[in-house]
Amino acid sequence: MTWDDLKAAADAVEDRHMLTLFEDETRADAFSVDALGMRFDYSKTNIDVAARTMLVEIAREARVEAKRDEMFSGAAINNTEGRAVLHTALRNLDGGPVTVDGVDVMPGVLAGLDQMQSFAEAVRSGSFTGQGGKITDVVNIGIGGSDLGPAMGTLALAPYHDGPRCHFVSNVDGAHIADTLHGLDPATTLVIVASKTFTTIETMTNARTAKAWMSETVSDPATQFAAVSTSLEKTGEFGIASDRVFGFEDWVGGRYSMWGPIGLALMIAVGGEAFRAFLRGAQAMDVHFKSASLEENMPVLLALVGIWHNQGCGYATRAVLPYDQRLSRLPAYLQQLEMESNGKRVAMDGSTLDVDSGPVVWGEPGTNGQHAFYQLIHQGTRVIPCEFMVAAEGHEPDLAHHHTLLIANCLAQSEALLRGRSLDEARKMMTDKGFTGDELERQARHRVFPGNRPSTTLVYRQLTPEVLGQIVALYEHRVFVEGVILGINSFDQWGVELGKELATSLGPVVTGEASAEGKDSSTRALVDYVLKHRG
Ligand code: F6P
């Protein structure tokens, strides 16, 4: 099967209205997969039996199952960095052996989890204190995968949050740390410096600023710091005692790391048991991913819908639209997970891709987005596949009427995208309002919805720790499957390096200590402008 075959199949049904597919009463069930108490419905797409067969064939030809097994077995599938990819080991709570270079990594993983939990429980109970007593606030300093996962998860699990307040500082913009520390008591604050490499300039700059802030009132600030990193040497150089350093291995990628010590702030927020429930949810998705047939495999189908829309139909973006306010950081989390993983134009073997790389991922929670950008989704000239998600039940029994409205809105949007509103229907509507003649025609045209726009819907019972784990693991495996089909390495991120190098060389230029010579004229002029306008 070639990419041209896929594009031809998508072209062939481009003008078919999806509503015709629903003449088959069994379509909803036949194009949904139920697993782990969740339903993933992809019936509101233009994928029919033939297209699904073709997509599954594409997955089979790409050897998705064999590659999946290689990943779980600890093979060095990250072939530009020579590393295994084993974030799944972090949630392998049953502890069955997972070997890297012949060594079982599970005893270390489980011991690390216990160490993390005893520290988290000590902070929560007050047996670990700051100079001023029980810890009231935790500040996690990290960026990218060392921030988005725990920040997204802490917000998502707010109903389970019974530990100290948690704050997340990522941006090197001093405004972020200044606004976060403002009003906190250094004597009862714990700072977690989370950085896989412990070299990331944003994180280290913020960590030094936090240390200086704390040292103004706390006699030994390092005692109120913990670190999460793969580099014990560098955490030691920063002055953090080894019993408060939580290590992990280089076979855990940054954007896949919230399952281990990078999730420390989340664990302090919700407690060890809820954190383990989150891991169990992810592990259940791992088991499903490993054991379900391709046709019934939720991450595989989510990926195949992505491949159909992006590489088949040529839709360049997809919107993630959780009807779940507590998942408001999920789109940002998925932006890193998906775009840093699959935003690549070179295949594993060094050749240039002859198809588009992964899509632009964006989104906001519903219903807010409805009152902002859904106009374009419904009536713009571009087609944006939408990924809706919603819980059957909220956490606020007293506010069940809110949840009813939330669900109704979610379902209404996918129905509107599917159905649309024809010119005849719009004319009738405007005639009923008293319009006639040319003005009727003009007004009616503005009220037409083309419809036939694709969406998927993920429904889960309630956003519990288990379900959050299932959802995040579902998306991780989706990214993996799409990457395998594209033939790329989803686990490196060389595309972030050039900007970092140039920022390092521009630092002294922006302070006026070095010349901008050799830079392009735009950059030189911008530096000049900044230098003339800073105080
Ligand atoms: O620059 C990109 C990146 O390396 C991400 O992949 C990573 O999640 C982030 O920076 C933070 O890296 P670290 O955890 O090493 O500070």
Side-chain angles (χ1 to χ4, degrees), residues 143-146 194-198 200 203 254-255 336 340 493 496 500:
I143 196 165
S146 300
S195 174
K196 181 175 170 181
T197 54
F198 231 69
T200 304
T203 300
R255 54 194 173 275
Q336 185 194 16
E340 202 172 72
Q493 57 283 320
V496 302
K500 285 186 195 173

Short mmCIF file of all heavy atoms in Angstrom, two decimals, residues 143-146 194-198 200 203 254-255 336 340 493 496 500, ligand 1:
data_model
loop_
_atom_site.label_atom_id
_atom_site.label_comp_id
_atom_site.label_asym_id
_atom_site.label_seq_id
_atom_site.Cartn_x
_atom_site.Cartn_y
_atom_site.Cartn_z
N ILE A 143 10.37 22.48 32.57
CA ILE A 143 9.77 22.97 31.32
C ILE A 143 9.55 21.78 30.38
O ILE A 143 10.20 20.74 30.55
CB ILE A 143 10.66 24.08 30.69
CG1 ILE A 143 9.88 24.88 29.62
CG2 ILE A 143 11.94 23.51 30.10
CD1 ILE A 143 10.56 26.20 29.24
N GLY A 144 8.66 21.95 29.44
CA GLY A 144 8.36 20.85 28.50
C GLY A 144 7.83 19.65 29.27
O GLY A 144 6.95 19.78 30.12
N GLY A 145 8.42 18.49 29.01
CA GLY A 145 7.96 17.28 29.67
C GLY A 145 8.16 17.30 31.17
O GLY A 145 7.54 16.52 31.90
N SER A 146 9.00 18.18 31.68
CA SER A 146 9.23 18.26 33.12
C SER A 146 8.26 19.22 33.79
O SER A 146 8.42 19.54 34.97
CB SER A 146 10.69 18.67 33.38
OG SER A 146 11.55 17.72 32.80
N ALA A 194 12.84 20.04 38.44
CA ALA A 194 12.59 18.86 37.61
C ALA A 194 13.22 19.08 36.24
O ALA A 194 12.78 19.94 35.48
CB ALA A 194 11.08 18.64 37.48
N SER A 195 14.25 18.32 35.97
CA SER A 195 14.90 18.44 34.66
C SER A 195 15.64 17.15 34.38
O SER A 195 16.54 16.76 35.14
CB SER A 195 15.89 19.62 34.65
OG SER A 195 16.60 19.63 33.44
N LYS A 196 15.25 16.50 33.31
CA LYS A 196 15.91 15.25 32.96
C LYS A 196 17.43 15.47 32.85
O LYS A 196 18.22 14.74 33.42
CB LYS A 196 15.33 14.72 31.65
CG LYS A 196 15.91 13.43 31.19
CD LYS A 196 15.22 12.90 29.94
CE LYS A 196 16.01 11.72 29.40
NZ LYS A 196 15.46 11.15 28.19
N THR A 197 17.81 16.50 32.14
CA THR A 197 19.24 16.75 31.88
C THR A 197 19.90 17.58 32.97
O THR A 197 21.11 17.54 33.15
CB THR A 197 19.39 17.51 30.57
OG1 THR A 197 18.58 18.70 30.65
CG2 THR A 197 18.95 16.68 29.38
N PHE A 198 19.12 18.36 33.69
CA PHE A 198 19.60 19.34 34.67
C PHE A 198 20.55 20.36 34.02
O PHE A 198 21.45 20.90 34.67
CB PHE A 198 20.28 18.66 35.87
CG PHE A 198 19.73 19.16 37.18
CD1 PHE A 198 18.43 18.84 37.57
CD2 PHE A 198 20.49 19.96 38.02
CE1 PHE A 198 17.90 19.31 38.77
CE2 PHE A 198 19.97 20.43 39.23
CZ PHE A 198 18.67 20.10 39.61
N THR A 200 18.90 22.41 31.35
CA THR A 200 18.00 23.28 30.58
C THR A 200 18.03 24.70 31.15
O THR A 200 17.80 24.91 32.35
CB THR A 200 16.57 22.69 30.62
OG1 THR A 200 16.66 21.35 30.12
CG2 THR A 200 15.60 23.48 29.77
N THR A 203 15.10 26.19 33.20
CA THR A 203 14.90 25.55 34.51
C THR A 203 16.02 25.94 35.48
O THR A 203 15.76 26.27 36.64
CB THR A 203 14.82 24.03 34.33
OG1 THR A 203 13.72 23.76 33.47
CG2 THR A 203 14.63 23.31 35.65
N GLY A 254 11.56 12.82 27.89
CA GLY A 254 10.99 13.91 28.67
C GLY A 254 9.47 13.99 28.58
O GLY A 254 8.77 14.10 29.59
N ARG A 255 8.94 13.91 27.36
CA ARG A 255 7.49 14.08 27.20
C ARG A 255 6.71 12.82 27.55
O ARG A 255 5.49 12.79 27.45
CB ARG A 255 7.18 14.53 25.77
CG ARG A 255 7.74 13.65 24.68
CD ARG A 255 7.68 14.35 23.33
NE ARG A 255 8.36 13.59 22.28
CZ ARG A 255 9.67 13.65 22.02
NH1 ARG A 255 10.45 14.44 22.75
NH2 ARG A 255 10.19 12.94 21.05
N GLN A 336 3.00 18.96 22.93
CA GLN A 336 4.38 18.48 23.03
C GLN A 336 4.47 17.01 22.66
O GLN A 336 5.32 16.59 21.87
CB GLN A 336 4.96 18.67 24.44
CG GLN A 336 6.44 18.27 24.46
CD GLN A 336 7.07 18.10 25.83
OE1 GLN A 336 6.37 17.99 26.82
NE2 GLN A 336 8.39 18.07 25.87
N GLU A 340 6.30 17.20 19.18
CA GLU A 340 7.73 16.96 19.39
C GLU A 340 8.08 15.53 18.97
O GLU A 340 9.20 15.24 18.58
CB GLU A 340 8.11 17.21 20.86
CG GLU A 340 9.58 17.51 21.05
CD GLU A 340 9.95 17.95 22.46
OE1 GLU A 340 9.94 17.11 23.37
OE2 GLU A 340 10.27 19.14 22.66
N GLN A 493 14.27 14.62 19.46
CA GLN A 493 13.72 15.97 19.24
C GLN A 493 14.82 16.92 18.81
O GLN A 493 15.06 17.95 19.41
CB GLN A 493 12.99 16.50 20.50
CG GLN A 493 13.79 16.59 21.80
CD GLN A 493 13.98 15.25 22.46
OE1 GLN A 493 13.06 14.43 22.49
NE2 GLN A 493 15.17 14.99 22.97
N VAL A 496 14.65 20.93 18.30
CA VAL A 496 14.65 22.00 19.31
C VAL A 496 16.06 22.55 19.53
O VAL A 496 16.24 23.52 20.26
CB VAL A 496 14.08 21.50 20.66
CG1 VAL A 496 12.67 20.96 20.49
CG2 VAL A 496 14.98 20.45 21.28
N LYS A 500 18.14 26.63 20.58
CA LYS A 500 18.86 26.69 21.86
C LYS A 500 20.27 27.22 21.65
O LYS A 500 20.76 28.07 22.39
CB LYS A 500 18.95 25.30 22.49
CG LYS A 500 17.68 24.79 23.11
CD LYS A 500 17.96 23.45 23.82
CE LYS A 500 16.68 22.72 24.15
NZ LYS A 500 16.89 21.38 24.68
O1 F6P B 1 14.05 21.20 24.47
C1 F6P B 1 13.11 20.20 24.46
C2 F6P B 1 13.20 19.36 25.69
O2 F6P B 1 14.37 18.61 25.66
C3 F6P B 1 12.00 18.48 25.87
O3 F6P B 1 12.07 17.33 25.13
C4 F6P B 1 12.01 18.27 27.34
O4 F6P B 1 10.79 17.77 27.82
C5 F6P B 1 12.33 19.66 27.82
O5 F6P B 1 13.23 20.17 26.87
C6 F6P B 1 12.91 19.76 29.19
O6 F6P B 1 14.11 19.04 29.30
P1 F6P B 1 14.74 18.72 30.70
O7 F6P B 1 13.78 17.86 31.45
O8 F6P B 1 16.02 18.03 30.41
O9 F6P B 1 14.96 20.02 31.44
#
